[in-house]
Amino acid sequence: MSSPSEQSPSDGGIRHRMHTIIFEADTPAGRAFDIALLWAILFSIVAVMLESVAPVRERYGPVLRVIEWCFTALFTVEYVLRLIAVQRPLRYMRSFFGLVDLLAILPTFLSVLIPGAQSLLVVRVLRLLRIFRVLKLAHLLGQAEVLLTALRASRPKITVFLGTVLTIVVVTGAVMYVVEGGNNGFDSIPRSMYWAIVTVTTVGFGDITPKTVLGQLIASVLMVMGYGIIAVPTGIVSVELAAATRHAVDTRACLGCGVQGHDLDASHCKYCGHSL
């Protein structure tokens, strides 16, 4: 039988204290850590934005690059500490915030091989979602979890719906390619499919338009159909959202994997099984 230290950070251990500071905002140390982290994220994003401005880059480019590397080193250390603080680091790495934390540091290292990749560092703005926990807006974070639950439940129906729409687009594109032909801009089936997507979504760029009577008739049917197609996913998500709203969630961070969004009466993490 495994000892308690092998199952979870001990109550008085360093990993337990790290977890409390890094993942929780109910203690003064945890709140101070999160606030400092949020400011660091803001400053790093501003530095990336300033570097994209040509006059600023020409004058302060080297300084901004040093600042980016300093912030990247800071976030890399923080990411490693998060992995150490949880019992199951691989599960945390696969979680939403785990992936965001990883993506927040990768672009700087990629910029060594791919010039300009550091502009992708603006993905760090997603880390500001932690502000809901810092400012005690847990009810809003709970609503976000409800929305995610509804979207996950809607995925099978949405997949079938998108498959149907794709079939309509392919068939309509092929028909318009035959009806209109290259002289009217429908010079290939992929290009005709592009027109069908633009039409069925009621965007209507107007860069390609049917000229024949039959083509205009098909376009009219597709445009009217588009209004009904747009309403379908809205109804699907609304039903699942109503069902998910009946099940409230809290924002406790699991000691094992660091994931939040558990049921209010849960005693164990629904993702890794660790006790809450």
Side-chain angles (χ1 to χ4, degrees):
M1 181 175 179
S2 300
S3 63
S5 61
E6 293 175 336
Q7 296 299 323
S8 63
S10 60
D11 292 340
I14 296 177
R15 291 178 63 191
H16 179 78
R17 291 196 292 271
M18 287 174 55
H19 185 277
T20 301
I21 295 173
I22 295 175
F23 286 95
E24 304 292 348
D26 295 329
T27 63
R31 185 176 178 83
F33 176 86
D34 282 339
I35 292 177
L37 178 62
L38 293 177
W39 278 111
I41 294 170
L42 284 173
F43 287 137
S44 67
I45 293 172
V46 171
V48 173
M49 291 181 175
L50 288 176
E51 192 185 12
S52 66
V53 181
V56 176
R57 182 172 61 249
E58 292 174 0
R59 187 170 182 177
Y60 302 105
V63 176
L64 292 174
R65 290 290 291 159
V66 171
I67 292 175
E68 287 177 12
W69 276 103
C70 289
F71 278 120
T72 299
L74 176 65
F75 293 143
T76 302
V77 172
E78 180 231 346
Y79 180 70
V80 173
L81 291 178
R82 286 182 182 275
L83 296 181
I84 295 174
V86 295
Q87 183 68 21
R88 295 176 173 82
L90 290 178
R91 187 173 292 274
Y92 175 74
M93 290 174 64
R94 294 194 297 267
S95 68
F96 172 75
F97 277 115
L99 292 174
V100 170
D101 292 342
L102 179 61
L103 291 176
I105 60 178
L106 284 182
T108 303
F109 296 107
L110 288 177
S111 66
V112 177
L113 302 175
I114 307 175
Q118 67 272 14
S119 298
L120 297 176
L121 288 173
V122 292
V123 74
R124 288 174 180 169
V125 72
L126 293 176
R127 305 194 72 198
L128 294 178
L129 291 175
R130 288 191 171 95
I131 197 171
F132 290 107
R133 180 163 55 89
V134 177
L135 298 182
K136 303 300 183 183
L137 301 178
H139 61 287
L140 295 183
L141 194 59
Q143 294 303 314
E145 181 65 25
V146 169
L147 181 58
L148 289 176
T149 301
L151 291 176
R152 284 194 291 265
S154 304
R155 184 166 52 189
K157 299 183 183 69
I158 295 296
T159 301
V160 174
F161 167 75
L162 291 178
T164 304
V165 173
L166 180 61
T167 301
I168 294 174
V169 166
V170 172
V171 173
T172 305
V175 171
M176 292 298 288
Y177 171 69
V178 174
V179 172
E180 293 291 330
N183 294 332
N184 294 330
F186 297 81
D187 50 8
S188 66
I189 292 181
R191 189 164 177 81
S192 300
M193 289 173 57
Y194 157 77
W195 169 85
I197 294 173
V198 171
T199 303
V200 80
T201 55
T202 69
V203 176
F205 290 137
D207 51 344
I208 307 175
T209 56
K211 301 296 190 299
T212 65
V213 175
L214 181 57
Q216 292 171 350
L217 177 62
I218 296 173
S220 299
V221 173
L222 196 60
M223 283 185 281
V224 173
M225 187 185 302
Y227 287 105
I229 288 176
I230 291 176
V232 171
T234 304
I236 294 174
V237 176
S238 297
V239 172
E240 297 297 342
L241 188 59
T245 304
R246 303 189 190 102
H247 304 283
V249 296
D250 68 6
T251 57
R252 287 176 291 175
C254 173
L255 285 169
C257 62
V259 176
Q260 299 176 345
H262 308 286
D263 295 336
L264 291 174
D265 59 348
S267 59
H268 292 78
C269 176
K270 61 183 179 181
Y271 299 102
C272 69
H274 197 282
S275 60
L276 296 174

